[in-house]
Amino acid sequence: MKLYNTLGRKLQPFKPQSPNVVKVYSCGPTVYDYAHIGNLRAFIFADTLRRTLSAQGYTVHHVMNITDVGHLSSDADVGEDKLEKGAKREGKTVWDIADQYTQSFLKDTQSLNILQPNGYKGRVDGYARATDFIPQQIEIISTLLEKKYAYITKEAIYFDVTKQKDYGKLSGQKLEEKETAVREEVVQDTDKRHPYDFALWFFAVGRFEDHALQWQSPWGSGFPGWHLECSTIIHETLHEPIDIHTGGVDHIGTHHTNEIAQTEAAFGHPLAQYWLHNEFVLVNGTKMSKSLGNFYTLRDVREKGYDPLAFRLLMLQAHYRSQLNFSWGSLEAAQTFLNRIRGWADLAHQTPEQFSEVNQTYQPALEKIYAALSQDLNTTEALGWLSGLVNQTDTHGWSPKDLAMLLKQLDDVFGLGLSERLDITDQQKSLLHDRSKARQSSDWAAADAIRQKLEKEHIGVRDSNFGQIWFRL
Ligand code: AMP
Ligand code: ZN
């Protein structure tokens, strides 16, 4: 298997630290609003990675954080805490907001067949909330202060980026280069030593005096900076160095760079061996984002009559490292393709027994699919092979048992719910029976009339090697 490692910027053979076991951490959602479909791409990508690793025979341990404190409206140290912003917007407490949007995130992931992170060593819930790890975050701050990687001002405790010689290695940008780059931030804390020093802890003073989320610390009450939760959660759950860390490309320059800095400074070893980043979903060529207002949610997808899994398919049609311009037209095409494959599931459950021997003529195509996925998750190519299979259904003469087995294996890697069949009503069953009888007595007009009637109910009918079969339209 090969993966593109942002750290070093090249395609590398994948070798986990212990054979057959892979520890994966994914930066999760900030739960202050509904996730938009751009955010969901990040989680579909992480899920595809997990499914592919499992299909390759690895045991995967997956953990994901839920950010419910400390993520300011910029990824750096300026702006408002996003959770507080959500609470103000809706007139609720920050805890209610976190609960509400964690639930909506979980629902979205279920609709998209995203596997729940499975944790590690007895911790079966792989989701980890930042606010459940406050004492552990405080402990890491203590270590960083002791080791002189951090300093205290009136407003915050900062990580001193100049103390780390290879700070910025993930983005490949040296600190000196960064210093000359334009930075929007207006430095608010005049005691901050370097513009790229980042907060490990904000004191509840000044702009954060009334911050709803506050905890006691040895240095004064306040709340942790956003980057610290990921280093802490990894340290407490998977234990670094982990094998793979995932997130969106927007995390490379600041969030992941700072995660690496904290962990390496505190513990003296790397955070992760492989860093994988998904590219953005765009709308009309511009990054989909909440701040620009150019976003859609999964609810919009449903309200327009599309299956969330058609959206998953659309995401898989592009490679995770390329930008993907979202349009309703492309979602429509993905839905049509999905319906076609789902016809197989319907077929697999309705054909007569004499066709149930197994001949597995699809095996070579399935191997091509696995091979494509093992090359840095080339879902585009893998779906190309699947498309080839769809176009050949009838000529292959697969038996229903073949189909059922194939669909199960495809579902394991693509998560598209292909083996779920549609239930038809008794009335539709009896129409199908009548059509079959009409054809037996060569009453083509009657057979055709019934077909048209069923089509109005979104049931297609076809006469195949296996006899009459129906499928979803
Ligand atoms: P957030 O909930 O804002 O913390 O973001 C969750 C994930 O979505 C992060 O990994 C981001 O990098 C990712 N993300 C944000 N916007 C987009 C986008 N337009 N396309 C793809 N991923 C995105
Ligand atoms: Zn993170």
Side-chain angles (χ1 to χ4, degrees), residues 25-28 65 67 226-227 229-231 245-246 251 255-256 259:
Y25 180 85
S26 303
C27 285
N65 64 316
T67 300
W226 171 46
H227 318 300
E229 72 186 61
C230 292
S231 291
H245 194 309
T246 77
H251 288 344
H255 181 54
H256 288 169
E259 281 185 32

Side-chain angles (χ1 to χ4, degrees), residues 351-423:
T351 44
E353 268 309 299
Q354 67 263 34
F355 290 107
S356 49
E357 80 284 359
V358 175
N359 52 35
Q360 298 200 6
T361 47
Y362 58 77
Q363 203 59 34
L366 197 57
E367 260 144 41
K368 299 271 191 205
I369 287 173
Y370 289 138
L373 290 173
S374 76
Q375 293 305 303
D376 196 30
L377 311 183
N378 195 338
T379 50
T380 314
E381 191 190 319
L383 286 173
W385 289 107
L386 178 58
S387 172
L389 281 178
V390 176
N391 293 332
Q392 291 168 23
T393 311
D394 283 344
T395 54
H396 270 215
W398 297 335
S399 72
K401 238 187 201 159
D402 275 337
L403 281 177
M405 280 171 60
L406 171 63
L407 292 171
K408 161 85 181 61
Q409 292 176 84
L410 292 173
D411 273 345
D412 285 348
V413 284
F414 293 126
L416 290 170
L418 302 177
S419 41
E420 290 156 24
R421 78 187 154 125
L422 184 75
D423 271 332

